[in-house]
Amino acid sequence: MTPMVKAEGVHKSYGAAHILKGIDLEVNNGEVFCLIGPSGSGKSTFLRCINHLEKINSGRLYVDGQLVGYRQKGDKLYELKDSEVAAQRRDIGMVFQRFNLFPHMTALGNVMEAPIQVKGESRAVARERAERLLDRVGLADKAGNYPSQLSGGQQQRVAIARALAMEPKLMLFDEPTSALDPELVGDVLDVMRDLAESGMTMVVVTHEMGFAREVGDSLVFMDGGVVVESGHPRDVLGNPQHDRTKAFLSKVL
Ligand SMILES: Nc1ncnc2c1ncn2[C@@H]1O[C@H](COP(=O)(O)OP(=O)(O)OP(=O)(O)O)[C@@H](O)[C@H]1O
Ligand SMILES: [Mg+2]
C-alpha cells in the first residue's frame, strides 16, 4: 500500500542554517504518527514541508504517492504552479499551537468558510457539515460564539473542526495542546483520539507523552534535524536505545 507520507533524504536550510539533515520516514494510511524532540530540532519545519509551506532543498517528499510541490519528468523536477500546490494542500488539514480562527466569524462561520471559498460549496451544504463537525468536537451549543467567547480548548476544537471541513486525507497537528491551560488539554486530546479511531491518518508533534503512548502507532524522536530513533511509542518511550532519547525523555516524562 502507498504510504500516506513518505520522506526520502529531506534536507531543509534557512540560509546557512541547516535545519533538516536528511529525514527518512513513512507514515502509513490510518496511522497516528507522533513526532517528539527538543525545541529547535526541526519538528515544525518538517510538518510545514509536508504541506509545502516550506520548500525542501533536497530529497523527496510524497503525500499519498504524489510528490509535494513538484512534478517529476525523467530525472528532473519541475515546480508546481501555485494553483496546483493549493490543490495538493487542500487534502491536508493543519492544526497549529495557536488556533488562528477568524476573529470576526462565529465558530460555525469558521468551519463553513473554507468549503465555500475554496470548493465553491453551497452555504446549505457547508452549514450542514459544519454543524455535524461542531457536534463531533462537542461544541454544538457554541456554534454561534465568536472566538473571543470561547476558551482556548474550545477554540482549538473549532480549529480541528475547521480543518476537517475540507475532508482531508491527512491531518497535521503542531503541538495542538501546548498553549492550553492544563485543564483544557483533555478535551482536545479526546477529540484527537476520536479522530484517530475513525481511521484518520495523523502526524502529531506533541509533548503529550501519554497521548503518544496510548494513541500513537509510531513515534519518531528528532534531534538536531535528524531522526535519532523511531518505533512503536511503547518501545521508544519505555525502552529508548539512544543516549539523546534517554536524556530528552528523562526531562519530559
Ligand atoms: N523561517 C525561518 N527562518 C530561519 N530559521 C528558522 C525559520 N523557521 C525555523 N527556523 C529555525 O529552524 C530551527 C528548527 O525550528 P522548528 O520550529 O522546526 O523547531 P521545533 O522542533 O518545532 O521546535 P519547538 O519545539 O520549539 O516548536 C530553529 O533553530 C529555528 O530557529
Ligand atoms: Mg515547533
Side-chain angles (χ1 to χ4, degrees):
M1 205 163 63
T2 313
M4 183 55 78
V5 179
K6 183 174 175 144
E8 291 176 347
V10 168
H11 286 259
K12 170 70 189 171
S13 299
Y14 292 110
H18 196 179
I19 307 299
L20 299 180
K21 300 173 182 165
I23 302 288
D24 295 287
L25 55 80
E26 281 187 17
V27 179
N28 292 318
N29 244 303
E31 186 173 51
V32 176
F33 189 96
C34 297
L35 260 176
I36 63 170
S39 182
S41 56
K43 306 179 299 293
S44 298
T45 302
F46 181 67
L47 272 196
R48 293 167 58 79
C49 291
I50 294 178
N51 64 358
H52 209 54
L53 290 171
E54 301 290 349
K55 274 184 203 165
I56 64 178
N57 298 95
S58 65
R60 295 274 194 281
L61 199 44
Y62 301 87
V63 170
D64 204 16
Q66 270 198 321
L67 261 181
V68 174
Y70 299 89
R71 180 183 295 108
Q72 185 159 7
K73 271 192 198 153
D75 297 341
K76 279 207 161 166
L77 291 187
Y78 298 88
E79 265 189 62
L80 296 181
K81 287 184 282 196
D82 287 350
S83 60
E84 294 171 312
V85 172
Q88 283 189 336
R89 208 175 277 149
R90 222 170 276 172
D91 290 336
I92 305 173
M94 184 142 184
V95 175
F96 302 90
Q97 182 175 11
R98 292 267 157 217
F99 338 112
N100 306 320
L101 295 176
F102 304 120
H104 60 292
M105 289 182 189
T106 62
L108 188 72
N110 267 280
V111 181
M112 288 171 62
E113 184 66 6
I116 293 172
Q117 296 302 329
V118 180
K119 286 186 175 168
E121 205 166 77
S122 75
R123 293 192 70 80
V125 170
R127 169 183 286 267
E128 195 272 327
R129 186 194 303 99
E131 284 170 348
R132 191 158 33 81
L133 286 170
L134 285 176
D135 186 39
R136 183 170 174 191
V137 300
L139 293 173
D141 58 333
K142 304 286 184 196
N145 285 37
Y146 288 87
S148 61
Q149 301 166 327
L150 296 168
S151 74
Q154 291 167 342
Q155 290 183 55
Q156 190 60 301
R157 286 184 279 150
V158 173
I160 293 171
R162 183 176 61 174
L164 292 175
M166 289 296 283
E167 303 183 319
K169 55 189 176 190
L170 169 66
M171 286 282 286
L172 310 176
F173 292 87
D174 194 354
E175 300 194 32
T177 59
S178 58
L180 301 177
D181 291 335
E183 72 271 22
L184 302 178
V185 168
D187 288 339
V188 173
L189 293 180
D190 284 345
V191 166
M192 292 171 64
R193 196 174 283 122
D194 169 70
L195 193 56
E197 277 164 16
S198 78
M200 177 64 76
T201 311
M202 299 161 60
V203 180
V204 186
V205 175
T206 187
H207 291 304
E208 296 291 335
M209 299 301 153
F211 175 85
R213 195 193 307 260
E214 282 164 43
V215 184
D217 298 297
S218 302
L219 182 138
V220 153
F221 171 67
M222 269 177 76
D223 192 12
V226 299
V227 171
V228 174
E229 186 161 351
S230 63
H232 193 279
R234 211 177 25 239
D235 299 329
V236 180
L237 298 176
N239 186 23
Q241 298 299 305
H242 292 261
D243 288 344
R244 278 196 279 176
T245 319
K246 288 176 193 169
F248 176 75
L249 291 177
S250 73
K251 279 184 235 154
V252 299
L253 283 180

